[in-house]
Amino acid sequence: MPVVPAGAGGMSGPSTFDKWKMGAMMGGTVGLIIGFIFGATNIIRYGAGSNGVMRSLGQYMAGSAATFGFFMSIGTVIRTDTSSEAMKYFEGAQRRAMLSHSSPVRSHPKEHLNSAPPRSMPRPPTCPYQLRLGYLFAPRKTPRTSHRPPDDTTKPFARRAVRFFSGNAPLRTLHRPTTRPQLPFLYQTLHRRHNARLLTTGVMANIRYQLKLGLYWAVIGWTIIGGCFVFYYVLREDWLDKVHPAPKEWSFMTKHNWRSGKHLELVDGPQSGHMQWTNIGENYRAIAMRLERGDDNGLVHQQDWDSTIPGLDPDIMHQPTPSILSHEGWQTHIGWDITAKSEHWRRGYYETMMGLAQAAEMRADYFTRMSDKMVLPRHCIRSEDNPDPTPIPGKATPDMSECVSTIEPANVHYIRILSTKGFSRKQRLDAGVAYARWLDHGGNASLAEALYRWSLNIAADGIAAEIDSNDDGHPFVDVKTGVLQSNAPFTTPNLLKTTTSLASHLAHHGNISSALAIYLSILRARRAAPDAPPTEQYPHRTPNYGLESVNSWAKFIMDLPTRGIFPDVRRSGDEPFEKRQGDKCDEAELMAYVGEILFAKGGKKKQGLGWTREATELAQRGATDGRLAREAKQTCEECLLTLLENWRSMARSLAVEKSAADRKRVEKGMLSWIWQIGGPDRWVTDGEWVEEEDLIGARLEDLEGQMMKTRLQKSVRFNQNSWATAG
């Protein structure tokens, strides 16, 4: 019988590549799950961006899976590495049964094929890691029925002369150990044969059990993860509903867009320092489309509008609005008749349209590339007016032909608001003033002034309606000049707002005398107004759900069963004006305007400086009032910062003038002969204005440091509460 060659095949442990592959699979699976969790959270908080939801989520999952898989594969190879000595014992345990030459037993080569192995023979280990159990190192016992003499050796793999039972022994392994010298010329080469069954019934049963077990725990794990996401979403929506309540007539998706848009505009943007006007506009546009076309009905199409509104050209009113990307425009520029709707519905629709118009103002010079929906500013797009655009990192520079407007022009939304029937007088007045400011910023001064005066007429009509008079409010204001009458019994908030806006417009375009007269009349009316009752001096505080303290958390948890209530309107703007503590900053702003006009244009610099000083002290009192709301205090701080800068600029200008006058006096006076000694700079002192400038600079640095500290605290609170502020 020829000698069987060694190494003809057999069972062996997992290779290094198998270990690396197993670690990569485990790490990749864990990385996919973690990437899905963190990616979904970031997409909910910050949006998907220009890549879309699926691509952004895939990037998160792929990056996390690659990172975890790489480190897990290396760690698995290192952790499961086995020493060479242990592998030698493992290979020795896998050899087939052998019979010593000293045994007198001569069995038939095929006699043992159907017999079981001896009871004393230990079961070979199935894995090299079982070597740690140490059972292979125990001495081998001789069976009772053995005819062989007892083996005095205690080593399980002692080298001795052996021979094989046969070439097809059932315990034969794929790797034959070398027990004696193998001479190639003494035997014939045999091909590798796999006689062992790799997938036995037990192995298949174990695989099925492992698959069922893995599926069982996978279902449990994903159920827990899904439940956590649902719980987080419900908790977040309930929190947003209390912070930004929506009208109860609206559908769930309409309320969801309302809460998301309001939170981005009022909380996320100011606290993070980055206003996401594109996302804000998309939320408000979805609300407007759903209210007008989808979930709610009862609106009436109008064929006519108020012809007294300036800027509503009949040639464009019946034309459809421009379409943007995949959104269709409105059929006409004419608004709806919403008088049949409730007051809450109308006010929510008005705030939606005003928010959409404001987002259109902020994104007027932004365009969306049609290929990947990427929003880009005008200076990054190649066009005839911009042949050398700003490069985009990692992206190709697009042409203007590849892009469309991100949102409709702002005048489209303002025209639809002004032509809508059903809004209150204050709402139409505010929309007219906002539209006029946008036109003024765009360079259309004549139409802007016409809208300011139209808003002034509306405010005057409101006074006439309040007192049941037919004189159109002329005893209270001169509609031609905008000056408030000194003998008027009272004034209204709407009238103060429109006259202030008109005076700012006139001052901006050089009509200083008219603007100064209006400013002085407004100040006179404000100071002559009565004080509000003590209970109305400060605004009513709403429940604090800011999650910034233990009290706010406790309030939120206690109010979980309740729903947010859309607030009612407390003032129409046509009631008599009463002074409150929060109005100090408005008065300081008017005094600052008067001081600037007197200093720069009126030729009365010291009087202008005096007005600025007075306004600064008034704003200082408002900024240090601890009972004011946070927004009102922030407004007073910004006003105080502007006033201090104006004051320092005025003091510097006066110091330069005084220094020049002193220099001129020294050069032309009796001390001109000392020019050769030290020059006039030696005899010119800084004076009081330089000292005042230094004092103002110190106050300005303190205020800027305080405001920076407040912004940092807001940023920290925003990051701590980011679980709820996701939008």
Side-chain angles (χ1 to χ4, degrees):
M1 178 177 179
V3 181
V4 180
M11 298 177 61
S12 62
S15 63
T16 303
F17 179 75
D18 294 333
K19 301 173 186 177
W20 179 88
K21 184 171 59 176
M22 181 174 58
M25 292 178 61
M26 289 191 299
T29 305
V30 174
L32 285 175
I33 297 174
I34 295 178
F36 174 81
I37 296 174
F38 281 93
T41 304
N42 288 335
I43 289 173
I44 292 174
R45 289 180 57 191
Y46 305 113
S50 59
N51 292 331
V53 176
M54 298 305 297
R55 183 180 297 181
S56 300
L57 186 60
Q59 290 178 352
Y60 279 108
M61 295 175 66
S64 179
T67 304
F68 276 86
F70 175 77
F71 290 104
M72 195 73 175
S73 61
I74 297 176
T76 304
V77 172
I78 296 175
R79 178 65 181 86
T80 59
D81 191 19
T82 308
S83 64
S84 59
E85 187 72 14
M87 289 301 301
K88 182 181 70 174
Y89 285 130
F90 173 75
E91 293 174 357
Q94 301 299 321
R95 67 179 58 178
R96 59 186 175 176
M98 294 173 292
L99 183 65
S100 173
H101 284 288
S102 61
S103 175
V105 179
R106 292 287 185 255
S107 300
H108 192 274
K110 297 184 179 180
E111 184 178 341
H112 67 282
L113 294 179
N114 297 326
S115 62
R119 296 181 181 179
S120 61
M121 181 180 296
R123 182 180 179 182
T126 59
C127 179
Y129 314 121
Q130 295 180 3
L131 295 174
R132 300 173 183 175
L133 299 178
Y135 69 93
L136 289 177
F137 301 97
R140 182 174 297 177
K141 298 180 180 180
T142 304
R144 295 179 181 178
T145 59
S146 176
H147 297 281
R148 292 178 296 177
D151 191 0
D152 55 350
T153 179
T154 58
K155 297 182 179 180
F157 306 117
R159 297 189 59 85
R160 57 187 178 271
V162 296
R163 70 177 181 86
F164 301 109
F165 277 112
S166 69
N168 296 322
L171 297 180
R172 165 187 163 187
T173 62
L174 295 179
H175 174 68
R176 294 188 179 92
T178 303
T179 58
R180 59 186 176 181
Q182 302 293 322
L183 302 178
F185 59 87
L186 295 180
Y187 59 85
Q188 298 177 357
T189 303
L190 299 179
H191 296 286
R192 181 184 297 270
R193 292 181 299 173
H194 295 276
N195 296 329
R197 293 181 59 189
L198 301 180
L199 294 178
T200 61
T201 304
V203 173
M204 291 299 298
N206 187 35
I207 292 175
R208 286 193 296 268
Y209 172 75
Q210 294 295 334
L211 289 176
K212 291 181 181 179
L213 189 64
L215 181 62
Y216 172 76
W217 286 110
V219 170
I220 291 179
W222 282 107
T223 302
I224 294 175
I225 293 174
C228 293
F229 269 99
V230 171
F231 177 74
Y232 164 77
Y233 179 79
V234 172
L235 199 65
R236 174 180 172 273
E237 288 296 318
D238 184 79
W239 181 79
L240 289 176
D241 183 62
K242 291 179 172 59
V243 177
H244 311 290
K248 62 180 181 180
E249 300 95 332
W250 290 1
S251 63
F252 174 78
M253 286 305 301
T254 309
K255 292 180 179 179
H256 173 75
N257 289 117
W258 167 271
R259 291 190 286 260
S260 300
K262 281 291 184 182
H263 195 74
L264 286 173
E265 180 183 4
L266 302 178
V267 181
D268 257 359
Q271 290 186 357
S272 63
H274 175 64
M275 297 295 295
Q276 304 179 29
W277 287 111
T278 302
N279 295 338
I280 294 171
E282 290 177 357
N283 280 290
Y284 285 145
R285 198 178 197 281
I287 296 173
M289 289 296 183
R290 192 172 289 112
L291 291 177
E292 297 174 2
R293 299 180 181 179
D295 301 340
D296 302 273
N297 50 22
L299 305 181
V300 179
H301 287 280
Q302 291 189 102
Q303 299 299 327
D304 199 2
W305 65 93
D306 187 1
S307 58
T308 62
I309 303 176
L312 303 189
D313 190 357
D315 296 336
I316 66 173
M317 292 301 293
H318 292 282
Q319 296 180 3
T321 62
S323 301
I324 56 169
L325 206 57
S326 59
H327 301 291
E328 297 181 359
W330 284 273
Q331 297 179 357
T332 63
H333 286 72
I334 306 175
W336 298 84
D337 184 359
I338 60 174
T339 54
K341 292 295 183 180
S342 65
E343 193 274 333
H344 285 182
W345 193 99
R346 295 197 303 269
R347 187 150 51 88
Y349 178 69
Y350 169 78
E351 293 184 15
T352 299
M353 296 300 295
M354 288 295 291
L356 187 57
Q358 187 178 7
E361 290 185 21
M362 299 300 176
R363 285 295 179 263
D365 290 335
Y366 282 76
F367 298 86
T368 302
R369 185 160 56 184
M370 293 181 289
S371 59
D372 55 359
K373 308 297 187 297
M374 186 176 183
V375 180
L376 299 169
R378 184 186 295 273
H379 62 82
C380 293
I381 303 175
R382 184 181 292 106
S383 61
E384 296 180 358
D385 301 334
N386 187 26
D388 188 16
T390 303
I392 307 171
K395 299 286 185 179
T397 302
D399 295 329
M400 186 59 73
S401 59
E402 304 175 8
C403 305
V404 296
S405 298
T406 302
I407 196 171
E408 302 92 348
N411 63 326
V412 172
H413 305 293
Y414 283 125
I415 289 174
R416 297 191 75 251
I417 295 172
L418 293 176
S419 59
T420 298
K421 185 179 180 181
F423 289 143
S424 64
R425 183 180 290 105
K426 178 176 176 54
Q427 290 171 345
R428 297 177 65 203
L429 184 147
D430 292 341
V433 171
Y435 186 24
R437 288 176 179 172
W438 181 77
L439 291 171
D440 203 358
H441 179 73
N444 197 346
S446 58
L447 183 56
E449 184 173 350
L451 277 169
Y452 282 128
R453 296 192 180 278
W454 174 78
S455 303
L456 182 60
N457 288 328
I458 292 180
D461 295 341
I463 295 179
E466 187 73 18
I467 63 177
D468 296 331
S469 175
N470 296 325
D471 52 10
D472 296 334
H474 291 166
F476 295 85
V477 60
D478 186 352
V479 293
K480 294 183 179 180
T481 61
V483 177
L484 298 178
Q485 301 293 348
S486 59
N487 56 354
F490 62 89
T491 188
T492 62
N494 288 342
L495 200 58
L496 293 174
K497 181 175 183 177
T498 53
T499 52
T500 303
S501 302
L502 179 60
S504 300
H505 167 77
L506 295 175
H508 181 70
H509 291 281
N511 196 348
I512 302 299
S513 58
S514 300
L516 184 60
I518 297 175
Y519 281 137
L520 293 176
S521 66
I522 296 172
L523 277 173
R524 180 177 59 245
R526 280 183 171 273
R527 292 177 176 178
D531 293 333
T535 56
E536 298 290 335
Q537 283 292 326
Y538 294 93
H540 294 277
R541 293 183 179 269
T542 57
N544 181 19
Y545 298 110
L547 306 182
E548 300 170 357
S549 61
V550 178
N551 294 334
S552 60
W553 273 96
K555 180 66 176 176
F556 171 65
I557 294 174
M558 293 177 61
D559 292 346
L560 277 177
T562 62
R563 297 178 58 186
I565 301 175
F566 195 71
D568 296 326
V569 178
R570 301 184 59 193
R571 300 183 182 91
S572 63
D574 293 331
E575 67 277 356
F577 173 75
E578 295 177 339
K579 291 189 296 185
R580 293 175 174 81
Q581 295 296 326
D583 299 330
K584 292 179 180 179
C585 191
D586 297 334
E587 187 174 345
E589 182 180 1
L590 292 171
M591 296 173 66
Y593 291 153
V594 174
E596 290 179 4
I597 292 174
L598 293 176
F599 189 89
K601 302 293 184 180
K604 302 177 180 180
K605 293 190 175 183
K606 291 188 177 181
Q607 292 185 8
L609 181 61
W611 280 85
T612 304
R613 288 172 177 170
E614 238 184 290
T616 303
E617 298 304 325
L618 189 61
Q620 181 73 35
R621 289 197 295 269
T624 55
D625 192 348
R627 291 180 294 178
L628 286 179
R630 182 185 303 170
E631 293 78 9
K633 288 191 65 176
Q634 183 178 357
T635 303
C636 289
E637 289 178 355
E638 294 175 356
C639 181
L640 178 60
L641 182 65
T642 304
L643 287 168
L644 286 174
E645 291 177 351
N646 290 349
W647 189 356
R648 185 171 63 176
S649 300
M650 293 178 182
R652 184 183 296 115
S653 177
L654 291 175
V656 170
E657 289 184 1
K658 184 179 183 300
S659 177
D662 292 344
R663 180 189 299 270
K664 188 175 181 180
R665 178 177 55 82
V666 169
E667 291 177 355
K668 293 184 178 181
M670 296 179 61
L671 298 178
S672 60
W673 58 273
I674 65 171
W675 175 272
Q676 302 295 331
I677 300 177
D681 293 337
R682 181 178 179 183
W683 306 96
V684 175
T685 59
D686 293 338
E688 58 180 351
W689 301 117
V690 176
E691 297 178 359
E692 185 171 354
E693 181 185 355
D694 295 339
L695 293 175
I696 299 169
R699 291 182 59 182
L700 195 58
E701 290 179 0
D702 294 341
L703 180 61
E704 289 176 347
Q706 181 180 355
M707 295 179 67
M708 180 61 68
K709 182 179 178 181
T710 304
R711 293 193 189 99
L712 290 176
Q713 291 176 353
K714 287 183 179 180
S715 178
V716 170
R717 288 194 298 264
F718 173 76
N719 294 329
Q720 290 176 350
N721 302 329
S722 58
W723 72 271
T725 57

